[in-house]
């Protein structure tokens, strides 16, 4: 598993809650297990107690994204370092059976965790993945969707650092809203111009009397 993949763990967890819409999908053991993807073994260790623990970690991860999105990169790093200290991992070299460039296994770094519970394990790999993304691409690549009321987290991997929305759906919705707002302004300006022209015409008529 590539290190970059682990950063998705953080995004998936943060986006189980939509504060502006008062929505929270992290309400059961099954919902928590769904976050793990292919990590079936770790998911099996989830208990009812982990639901509350996951929510706590989610709030702390969201704070990292909020700080980065607001431009406070030092705070974002401090918050992330706090998570890394609390939930450490042990990097290990691992290999798949798929043949690599030299005919052997495809070797890569795997983040091995040794947690006392499932939430600690998830927090460890999510935090390390996010740290890898931040140091590789910069804290300004951590963002929150700019299409209100959505504030989902995303990782900007665009070549020109231009991403502003968590999905194509939100981007389309924001563009449509901006287009309608421009049309309203144009209509208001046109109506105001018309009223101004009428007023000027009336003034001229009165002065000619």
């Amino acid at each position: 598993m590539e290190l970059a993949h682990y950063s998705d763990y953080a995004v998936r967890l943060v986006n189980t809650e939509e504060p502006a819409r008062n929505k929270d999908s992290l309400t059961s053991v099954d919902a928590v297990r769904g976050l793990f993807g292919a990590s079936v073994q770790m998911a099996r260790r989830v208990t009812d107690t982990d639901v509350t623990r996951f929510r706590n970690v989610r709030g702390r991860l969201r704070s990292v994204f909020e700080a980065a999105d607001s431009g406070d990169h030092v705070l974002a790093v401090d918050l992330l370092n706090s998570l890394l200290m609390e939930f450490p991992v042990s990097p290990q070299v691992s290999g798949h059976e798929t043949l690599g460039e030299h005919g052997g296994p495809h070797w890569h770094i795997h983040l091995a965790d040794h947690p006392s519970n499932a939430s600690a394990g998830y927090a460890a790999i999510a935090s390390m993945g996010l740290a890898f993304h931040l140091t590789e691409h910069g804290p300004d690549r951590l963002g929150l969707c700019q299409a209100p009321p959505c504030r989902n987290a995303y990782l900007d991997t665009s070549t020109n650092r231009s991403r502003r929305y968590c999905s194509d759906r939100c981007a389309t919705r924001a563009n449509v809203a901006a287009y309608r707002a421009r049309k309203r302004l144009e209509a208001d300006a046109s109506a105001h111009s018309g009223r101004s022209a009428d007023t000027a015409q009336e003034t001229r008529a009165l002065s000619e009397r």
Side-chain angles (χ1 to χ4, degrees):
M1 186 180 295
E2 301 296 336
L3 286 177
H5 173 80
Y6 289 108
S7 58
D8 292 335
Y9 278 62
V11 174
R12 287 206 299 269
L13 178 55
V14 170
N15 290 346
T16 59
E17 182 183 30
E18 297 181 72
R21 294 189 173 110
N22 198 29
K23 291 183 178 180
D24 186 349
S25 62
L26 201 62
T27 57
S28 67
V29 168
D30 286 339
V32 171
R33 286 174 177 162
L35 292 170
F36 285 92
S39 302
V40 179
Q41 184 175 1
M42 191 186 299
R44 288 174 180 165
R45 293 154 53 189
V46 176
T47 66
D48 289 330
T49 306
D50 281 307
V51 177
T52 300
R53 290 172 177 159
F54 267 78
R55 287 179 174 177
N56 177 266
V57 172
R58 178 182 64 188
R60 294 172 67 182
L61 285 170
R62 175 172 281 278
S63 294
V64 175
F65 278 92
E66 288 175 343
D69 187 68
S70 68
D72 194 341
H73 298 163
V74 173
L75 177 59
V77 170
D78 287 345
L79 293 171
L80 186 52
N81 277 337
S82 177
L83 284 163
L84 291 169
M85 291 179 65
E86 186 173 344
F87 304 106
V89 295
S90 302
Q92 295 180 355
V93 177
S94 180
H96 294 306
E97 294 180 0
T98 304
L99 295 182
E101 181 180 353
H102 303 291
H106 175 67
W107 300 109
H108 62 281
I109 295 295
H110 174 77
L111 299 182
D113 58 278
H114 309 284
S116 56
N117 53 68
S119 53
Y122 193 100
I125 58 179
S127 300
M128 190 63 198
L130 199 57
F132 174 80
H133 189 92
L134 185 149
T135 54
E136 184 74 8
H137 304 289
D140 57 333
R141 294 290 188 138
L142 278 59
L144 293 173
C145 188
Q146 300 300 303
C150 180
R151 292 293 282 166
N152 277 351
Y154 65 82
L155 299 171
D156 185 3
T157 56
S158 63
T159 56
N160 57 354
R161 300 174 183 266
S162 60
R163 185 170 179 178
R164 295 293 180 270
Y165 308 105
C166 68
S167 64
D168 290 340
R169 179 181 179 182
C170 276
T172 299
R173 184 161 55 83
N175 289 334
V176 169
Y179 172 80
R180 289 175 176 170
R182 286 196 301 271
K183 287 299 182 182
R184 284 195 296 270
L185 286 174
E186 291 172 2
D188 290 344
S190 177
H192 178 75
S193 177
R195 287 194 296 270
S196 297
D198 290 342
T199 300
Q201 186 175 4
E202 292 174 359
T203 301
R204 285 196 300 272
L206 289 172
S207 63
E208 292 171 356
R209 291 179 182 178

